[in-house]
Amino acid sequence: MVTLDATATDGRYHRQELISWWDQSRLSNARVLIVGAGALGNEIVKSLALLGVGHLDIVDMDKVEHANLARCVLFRDGDEGRPKSEVVAAAVGTLNPDVTAVAHTVPVQQLGLGFLNEVDLVIAGLDNREARLWVGQSCRKLGQHWVDGAIEGLRGLVRVFLPEGACYECTLGETDRKIMAQRRACALLSAEEMHGGKVPTNATTASIIAAIEVQEAVKLIVGRGDLLALRNSALMYIGETLETYRVTYAEDEFCPSHDRYEDLLPFAVTAETSLADVVTAGHVRLGEHLDAVELEDDLIVASRCGSCGHNAPVLRSLRSLRPGDGLCPACGEELTLDARRVLDPTDKVLAARLLDLHLADRDVITVRAGNRRAHFALSPALGTPGVFQEGSR
Ligand SMILES: [Zn+2]
Ligand SMILES: [Zn+2]
């Protein structure tokens, strides 16, 4: 056995640092959000951890199933039933002790817009359009970059969305938008409906697509956007023939997702903080006359049963409802929900505690006076169960 001196050429990252444009210190200091811990998410996290990307946040609300084991590199027999995000985060420590990984066992929307603003980059490996649309719209609002990937059978695609140019919603056709609007109106989709049917996938396709996602991501993390191969465009990969081709997306000037928020203002919350406290801060920021309080998610302010007339007082975010919550407790028929995203600054519902509204953990609340706005980012997190920390660095 040959013993090497502890010289620089023996450093953990030496070989990759030989790449001319590499910047290991930027990678080591970066914080990346990985959305989805399935087949793609496993591979994305594996590569980011090996590369020494310093801090990984991994969000996925699902649990490991037996049928995941054939294509998820970080799952083992016996992990069935454990949250995917926790299993993946725990595996990071065995791949590279330099890397910290935090698991979030919630829907990505529950992290909140403020969370996405804290990370350097978002990389998605998702299986549903609703989550992808939320990530796309949120990144656009924040001027955040994100990398998307998708697989089906032996085929896949990778795309990179920059803050300017076509966004994810620009890539959707009119029919897609209509379907999604209807689905959003029908708030109480089950997880199965949300994720659609089971699609064919395998380990090789997942690893190829995830590797390309991470390769583009590294260029962004080290500040070399000039090296990107994909800019508001997609690489389509066909595994059967090993053909690839590019698709460049055109920016849709009527796209409803092109709102850009100015700076997010940190807003300290406690368990007792109410919406009215946010309005008070808005007065200080924008002056005495506010026109509206705008939320990131619909807030249900009332519900009524069309069949039996039962009125239920409800005051919570639409997203926090579960299947069954939308049914009348008296007769079982579907309730009509009064949901609002824009509130009058004098509305009495503003007295409600933020905690009771089940807003996203790091939600953003906007107050408006004319065309001037202030965006308050709640901090610290309102507190959702299911956050699991692995590693201590
Ligand atoms: Zn767009
Ligand atoms: Zn009823």
Side-chain angles (χ1 to χ4, degrees):
M1 187 178 163
V2 180
T3 312
L4 292 172
D5 289 326
T7 60
T9 58
D10 193 29
R12 184 175 189 115
Y13 306 112
H14 176 255
R15 299 304 186 275
Q16 63 201 37
E17 289 185 280
L18 293 174
I19 296 169
S20 62
W21 49 268
W22 206 260
D23 187 339
Q24 191 62 42
S25 69
R26 285 184 80 155
L27 288 174
S28 299
N29 289 318
R31 181 175 176 193
V32 173
L33 173 65
I34 299 95
V35 188
L40 284 172
N42 267 256
E43 291 285 340
I44 292 166
V45 169
K46 177 207 78 178
S47 292
L48 291 171
L50 291 177
L51 292 168
V53 174
H55 187 104
L56 308 179
D57 285 284
I58 303 155
V59 59
D60 194 311
M61 66 182 298
D62 291 338
K63 294 192 165 68
V64 177
E65 295 174 17
H66 195 64
N68 299 137
L69 296 175
R71 61 180 184 283
C72 296
V73 66
L74 304 177
F75 296 167
R76 299 287 176 267
D77 282 281
D79 287 333
E80 292 98 321
R82 294 180 61 199
K84 289 179 177 177
S85 56
E86 290 186 14
V87 175
V88 168
V92 166
T94 67
L95 289 171
N96 187 345
D98 294 349
V99 177
T100 299
V102 178
H104 306 268
T105 311
V106 293
V108 62
Q109 295 93 331
Q110 191 60 31
L111 292 179
L113 198 57
F115 192 98
L116 266 58
N117 201 45
E118 302 285 309
V119 300
D120 297 303
L121 186 71
V122 178
I123 309 182
L126 282 161
D127 62 357
N128 74 92
R129 280 183 178 176
E130 270 74 14
R132 205 174 257 127
L133 181 63
W134 186 83
V135 170
Q137 290 173 330
S138 300
C139 287
R140 187 77 179 204
K141 283 175 187 166
L142 300 168
Q144 177 68 278
H145 302 78
W146 72 288
V147 181
D148 188 29
I151 51 174
E152 181 161 355
L154 295 192
R155 302 179 181 204
L157 63 84
V158 179
R159 45 196 170 188
V160 177
F161 290 103
L162 305 177
E164 305 293 337
C167 77
Y168 173 66
E169 191 161 356
C170 288
T171 71
L172 299 175
E174 199 54 42
T175 318
D176 296 322
R177 285 189 197 162
K178 273 196 190 126
I179 293 169
M180 290 179 74
Q182 279 166 2
R183 286 162 63 95
R184 194 157 44 208
C186 173
L188 304 167
L189 289 172
S190 68
E192 294 75 52
E193 289 168 311
M194 192 66 96
H195 291 228
K198 306 282 182 212
V199 297
T201 54
N202 75 354
T204 53
T205 312
S207 97
I208 290 163
I209 294 301
I212 298 170
E213 285 191 77
V214 173
Q215 187 53 73
E216 289 295 88
V218 165
K219 296 171 187 171
L220 285 166
I221 295 168
V222 302
R224 292 301 303 268
D226 58 308
L227 298 175
L228 283 173
L230 301 172
R231 313 172 69 85
N232 305 97
S233 61
L235 176 81
M236 318 298 279
Y237 160 81
I238 302 167
E240 291 90 342
T241 57
L242 293 184
E243 284 172 283
T244 59
Y245 61 96
R246 307 282 185 88
V247 173
T248 301
Y249 298 119
E251 185 169 2
D252 175 358
E253 60 176 318
F254 302 110
C255 177
S257 287
H258 291 187
D259 193 9
R260 173 67 60 84
Y261 287 6
E262 296 295 315
D263 294 343
L264 300 189
L265 306 166
F267 185 83
V269 293
T270 68
E272 298 307 316
T273 304
S274 68
L275 275 174
D277 295 325
V278 182
V279 170
T280 303
H283 282 141
V284 172
R285 186 84 191 176
L286 299 179
E288 269 313 298
H289 184 78
L290 294 184
D291 294 306
V293 178
E294 300 171 353
L295 305 174
E296 294 297 317
D297 185 21
D298 288 330
L299 183 69
I300 302 164
V301 295
S303 80
R304 186 168 194 285
C305 177
S307 291
C308 75
H310 178 85
N311 277 307
V314 192
L315 192 58
R316 58 189 295 177
S317 71
L318 183 60
R319 197 177 284 136
S320 70
L321 293 193
R322 296 289 161 258
D325 287 347
L327 301 179
C328 175
C331 75
E333 291 298 308
E334 202 161 317
L335 292 166
T336 303
L337 303 176
D338 182 0
R340 291 181 212 165
R341 245 170 223 237
V342 180
L343 300 168
D344 187 288
T346 60
D347 196 315
K348 60 181 186 301
V349 306
L350 296 178
R353 297 193 316 164
L354 296 176
L355 197 60
D356 295 331
L357 303 178
H358 298 266
L359 300 180
D361 251 12
R362 300 287 306 277
D363 217 330
V364 169
I365 298 173
T366 297
V367 294
R368 178 188 289 277
N371 54 17
R372 294 163 61 233
R373 296 188 296 182
H375 309 283
F376 294 104
L378 310 186
S379 175
L382 284 171
T384 329
V387 176
F388 165 90
Q389 178 128 12
E390 184 70 28
S392 54
R393 289 166 62 110

